[in-house]
Amino acid sequence: MGRVRRAAGVPLAGDRQGGHVSPSPPGGVTSPGGLSFSVYGPPVAQGRPRTARLPAGNIRVFDPPASRDFKQHVRMQALAALGGRPRLLEGALELQLSVQLCRPRSAPKRLWPDVKPDLSNYLKGVEDAMIGVAFRDDAQIVRMSLDKHYGPEPGVAIRLTPLGQGEP
């Protein structure tokens, strides 16, 4: 997939400064109990599963190659942010995901990337990639903040935060 750059990260939605969360430094950050990292390069939305009939008559279902490669890239960046070893967060989690795309020349005045692929398809790929690396099951994610916007460098910024027992 794309290469890892040692530059400023992609902003996440929800920070006090201009509506964006501060980008993570190179390699990511593990806050007390949380995780924040960026994946540089063009984001890939989760594609539809492909099927193939095996000689014995069985059917095999698999990810399209672009989706599989992007999930592997996200997984590697998450592991790098965790020091090279999986660390499964427990309990309810909040996921902040910001997808940054390059503005196409054909849409210089378009403010938002309100075209396919859907934001939810980017989310599916990221969630699948982090299962077994940062959390046990994506059912643990009970709160989300998502955005898709244009910016100078394509990429995805991810922040995963455990929710305390007293938070509604």
Side-chain angles (χ1 to χ4, degrees):
M1 257 347 286
R3 67 181 200 271
V4 177
R5 295 175 41 137
R6 299 285 180 190
V10 179
L12 284 168
D15 186 49
R16 296 179 198 103
Q17 299 173 338
H20 294 279
V21 169
S22 303
S24 60
V29 170
T30 52
S31 61
L35 172 65
S36 178
F37 65 98
S38 295
V39 179
Y40 297 98
V44 177
Q46 176 64 41
R48 298 278 179 241
R50 305 286 185 224
T51 59
R53 186 174 300 275
L54 300 174
N58 297 334
I59 295 177
R60 179 177 171 247
V61 179
F62 59 93
D63 269 342
S67 297
R68 182 194 62 224
D69 294 347
F70 181 70
K71 287 196 269 190
Q72 182 62 28
H73 191 57
V74 171
R75 199 172 292 118
M76 288 183 339
Q77 293 306 308
L79 282 169
L82 291 168
R85 296 180 45 193
R87 185 185 62 164
L88 303 180
L89 301 173
E90 297 294 327
L93 302 172
E94 176 179 14
L95 174 67
Q96 293 176 316
L97 178 73
S98 182
V99 177
Q100 185 163 293
L101 306 170
C102 286
R103 184 183 308 274
R105 292 178 194 233
S106 62
K109 294 183 181 179
R110 182 180 290 151
L111 183 61
W112 296 100
D114 56 348
V115 294
K116 292 187 180 250
D118 302 349
L119 183 57
S120 61
N121 289 333
Y122 290 112
L123 170 67
K124 289 174 196 172
V126 170
E127 283 179 328
D128 288 352
M130 293 175 53
I131 292 173
V133 174
F135 47 79
R136 190 179 62 265
D137 188 353
D138 56 357
Q140 291 176 253
I141 300 170
V142 299
R143 184 184 299 162
M144 286 188 233
S145 172
L146 310 171
D147 79 85
K148 177 172 80 166
H149 60 276
Y150 290 125
E153 294 284 330
V156 179
I158 300 159
R159 181 172 287 173
L160 198 58
T161 311
L163 295 175
Q165 296 297 327
E167 295 182 47

